[in-house]
Amino acid sequence: NAGVTQTPKFQVLKTGQSMTLQCAQDMNHNSMYWYRQDPGMGLRLIYYSASEGTTDKGEVPNGYNVSRLNKREFSLRLESAAPSQTSVYFCASTQTGGNTIYFGEGSWLTVV
Amino acid sequence: AQSVTQPDIHITVSEGASLELRCNYSYGATPYLFWYVQSPGQGLQLLLKYFSGDTLVQGIKGFEAEFKRSQSSFNLRKPSVHWSDAAEYFCAVGRGGADGLTFGKGTHLIIQP
């Protein structure tokens, strides 16, 4: 009963370092999302993927890249981390036309 | 564009008292509406959702919410809160797709003994 799985759960980066957040879902969903959560801001959409090989920018895409190499996995990459990217990141998925979005447990990222 | 407003940043309620958390939304079509709860250091847990039909929806943990189209509201209620209800609550609107869900900024619920 895994649902949406994110790794790592916690990470500390130095400014300028790069890293990739991994996300995988086992529900055969077509649509996948990356959100970031900041205090007092709620969750904001970074990127969206409707299917394998397709991605679209969300509300706050700057400084991020994504990759949807297959139906299960949707990764988020920070090429050169900045302190402003300190946040909690959530991956989510849903079936196309579905009415419920399922979230992973979050990845806590600190950039120092 | 869709949007969600949660007017109350913080709410303090005594244990055993009733609770109402406010949510107002803006959406161009019939909305799908959600309430999520997040305990400190944890992920998001879906409390309840509204798609259509009965405007009063029941969720987990004794929560309910009422959809009022005329007021563009989807307020969350609980008759008697428990200390374990202390958490951050998020209202969200959306139908998936490229816009995903749009979240409010959250209401931090404090339970006092």
Side-chain angles (χ1 to χ4, degrees):
Chain A
N1 235 15
V4 180
T5 304
Q6 296 179 227
T7 56
K9 190 167 177 79
F10 299 100
Q11 184 73 49
V12 178
L13 285 178
K14 294 182 179 179
T15 298
Q17 286 186 318
S18 63
M19 78 158 297
T20 299
L21 298 176
Q22 305 286 354
C23 175
Q25 51 89 12
D26 61 1
M27 296 173 282
N28 203 36
H29 287 168
N30 293 315
S31 299
M32 296 187 74
Y33 307 83
W34 275 106
Y35 288 85
R36 62 177 287 173
Q37 182 186 23
D38 303 290
M41 299 295 293
L43 279 76
R44 294 178 292 170
L45 182 64
I46 306 172
Y47 268 96
Y48 160 68
S49 171
S51 61
E52 177 183 340
T54 69
T55 61
D56 290 296
K57 294 179 180 179
E59 181 184 353
V60 288
N62 291 345
Y64 305 96
N65 289 303
V66 290
S67 178
R68 182 86 181 271
L69 295 179
N70 56 58
K71 193 171 187 179
R72 288 189 65 249
E73 298 171 298
F74 188 36
S75 61
L76 178 73
R77 183 162 178 83
L78 287 69
E79 291 290 352
S80 179
S84 61
Q85 295 179 303
T86 294
S87 188
V88 183
Y89 293 85
F90 287 97
C91 179
S93 72
T94 187
Q95 191 57 270
T96 301
N99 50 32
T100 300
I101 294 181
Y102 297 84
F103 285 85
E105 296 198 343
S107 297
W108 274 254
L109 176 65
T110 301
V111 183
V112 297
Chain B
Q2 56 200 52
S3 66
V4 175
T5 300
Q6 293 180 246
D8 304 304
I9 298 173
H10 300 278
I11 282 188
T12 300
V13 178
S14 298
E15 191 170 14
S18 64
L19 171 70
E20 182 169 31
L21 302 183
R22 295 183 290 164
C23 172
N24 293 98
Y25 68 89
S26 173
Y27 196 77
T30 301
Y32 289 175
L33 293 156
F34 306 82
W35 275 99
Y36 288 87
V37 61
Q38 184 182 33
S39 298
Q42 302 296 312
L44 296 166
Q45 182 178 24
L46 180 65
L47 283 176
L48 47 78
K49 56 191 177 184
Y50 170 80
F51 302 135
S52 64
D54 192 347
T55 57
L56 184 64
V57 294
Q58 302 297 320
I60 62 171
K61 303 185 177 188
F63 285 93
E64 66 178 26
E66 186 171 12
F67 170 59
K68 293 186 177 180
R69 185 186 298 276
S70 62
Q71 298 177 19
S72 297
S73 69
F74 188 56
N75 294 348
L76 181 71
R77 301 194 294 247
K78 187 170 184 178
S80 176
V81 298
H82 186 262
W83 64 266
S84 60
D85 294 324
E88 192 84 15
Y89 291 80
F90 293 97
C91 181
V93 66
R95 296 174 72 107
D99 293 327
L101 287 180
T102 297
F103 285 81
K105 295 184 178 181
T107 297
H108 184 61
L109 177 62
I110 300 166
I111 308 296
Q112 61 184 19

